[in-house]
Amino acid sequence: MGEAVKATDNQLNTSAIREQFPVLEREVNGFPLAYFDNAATTQKPLSVINALTEYYSAYNANIHRGVHTLAEEATTAFEQTRAAVRRLVNAREAEEIIFTKGTSEGINLVAATYGKAFIGQGDEIIITGMEHHSNIVPWQMLAEEKGAVLKVIPINERGEISLDEFNSRLSGNTKMVAICLASNALGTVNPVKELITAAHDAGAVVLLDAAQALPHMEVDVQALDCDFLAASAHKMYGPTGVGILYGKRRLLEKMPPYQGGGEMIKEVTFARTTYNDIPFKFEAGTPNIADVIAFKPAIDFINTIGKENIARHEHALLQQATAGFQQIDSVQLVGTAKEKVSVLSFNITGMHPFDIGMMLDATGIAVRTGHHCTMPLMERFAIEGTVRASFAVYNTAEEVDRLIRSVERIAARVKK
Amino acid sequence: MSSIRQIQDEIISEFALLADDREATLFYLMELGDKMPPLAGEYKTEDNLIKGCQSKVWLHADYKEGKVFFAADSNTDITRGLISLLVRILSGQTPDAIIDADLDFIEKIGMGQIIGSQRSNGFASMIKQMKMYALGYKTKVAMK
Ligand SMILES: Cc1ncc(COP(=O)(O)O)c(C=O)c1O
């Protein structure tokens, strides 16, 4: 990899990029695979796949407490990923990056530790109407346990929230604002900078669910001044089973630990345990070493192409698909916010999303159908679900064209 | 009334024409679903829902003059097409014929391939329920 995949005249060399993803050469039902389920999980480049093999073939060892060479090498590689994540989100220190299993675990961790210590009876937690179940249920569980109150910012027809709606729910009782930077079902990018400033003025902390944002846009935790941020490696060309949680040092230090076990302690006697420093305080047990190590080449992949180039390419695909769908009478777009990542949710009048998804699969087009783990959001739009196409850097205009034409064929059936 | 064997053979030859064109096969299934007589709203009850289907499937059965009559519906078009095949084959047959039916058309038209494992399980639940109805009517008659 290198210059070959970089932009020339603002155009990505998509074929050079695609060559790095072996699965994209596959055929499905006799057609070349057009993979548009990237918001669920992206495909992995060879560099990631090779890093896994290399780790297990050359230096598999448990990390952090070994003096032998393999342990040293594994520890170094593991911590290099942490350093790469720090740079990716521009955290002040690598110690502010905790490895988790994914976005869900990151949010659960904050609810179970920060929430346990600092949210109590009558305190308020604000979320939005477009959250993934991962950013609803942990707060509901906490609210139930503590007698806290969950407040929801409603969204408009386009799938946007307004600052006014947020401000009218914000008060001195608000302790936590948990909100997605980008919505997985609609693609909406939320105006988090303004929300964070307002939340801080009211004395609340802010957690950003960046699962759908980090793969697509620049995210700078210092510029945003968010207190926590959670994301998943597998949605950004990395392996499954790895997530990141960023937290400000000042908060992480005063939070109680999440789970007990090895790694997270400084000293254990039967009378008393003292906890390790951050980030290890929150990383009990042997972590997912191989996948954390293989996450680094995924970050390198993104950096080599550049977030700006990725965003520009994906945005062009989103616009092409949106414009194509707008020409089809029976297609309704769900989520038409001004600011969007490359997620396109839609329905066809009189057809169930399952059927549309199956029809698309028949010609090798992979999309997701259903409620996308956002059941309250589906209820808001009075729909059972949607078909969701989500674009990544390796998708092409030809693939999007196939999608539009297939949807045209399916929609034509309904008209009859 | 054609026999279960005859109707299955008809279906097998219809699908053979569509051979490897999966999109055309799905379109055809949906067309068959469109043609199936609708299930009266009063039968779309919680009790008539088949358990184990990903989509909603309602099945209603009637017994007249020694024969079992089925009517069914689904909230998704492809599934409605699938169940229309079962209704076409099994509705109007005797309880014994239904109980003994060897539905080999499923394998012969490559249904599992077309609909995937999750829908296949739902399809199996549907067949089981139809056979249960037949068995129920048979037992009732025997006890008279
Ligand atoms: C916005 C959002 N939040 C949270 C999650 C949960 O991520 P994970 O399943 O990797 O924990 C997802 C994944 O679909 C998501 O899209």
Side-chain angles (χ1 to χ4, degrees), chain A residues 39-41 100-107 130-135 180-185 209-213 230-235 241-243 368 372-374 388:
Chain A
T41 197
T100 61
K101 285 195 305 224
T103 307
S104 305
E105 194 184 32
I107 298 170
M130 68 180 94
E131 298 309 315
H132 188 283
H133 295 162
S134 292
N135 200 26
C180 60
L181 191 37
S183 145
N184 68 307
D209 172 350
Q212 298 296 339
S232 300
H234 71 93
K235 293 182 195 287
V242 177
R368 187 141 297 245
H372 316 297
C373 295
T374 57
R388 181 187 71 186

Side-chain angles (χ1 to χ4, degrees), chain B residues 76-101:
Chain B
T76 72
D77 293 351
I78 293 170
T79 302
R80 190 183 302 111
L82 290 168
I83 60 183
S84 80
L85 295 174
L86 292 177
V87 169
R88 180 170 154 199
I89 296 168
L90 298 179
S91 191
Q93 307 289 353
T94 64
D96 277 329
I98 296 169
I99 294 162
D100 296 338

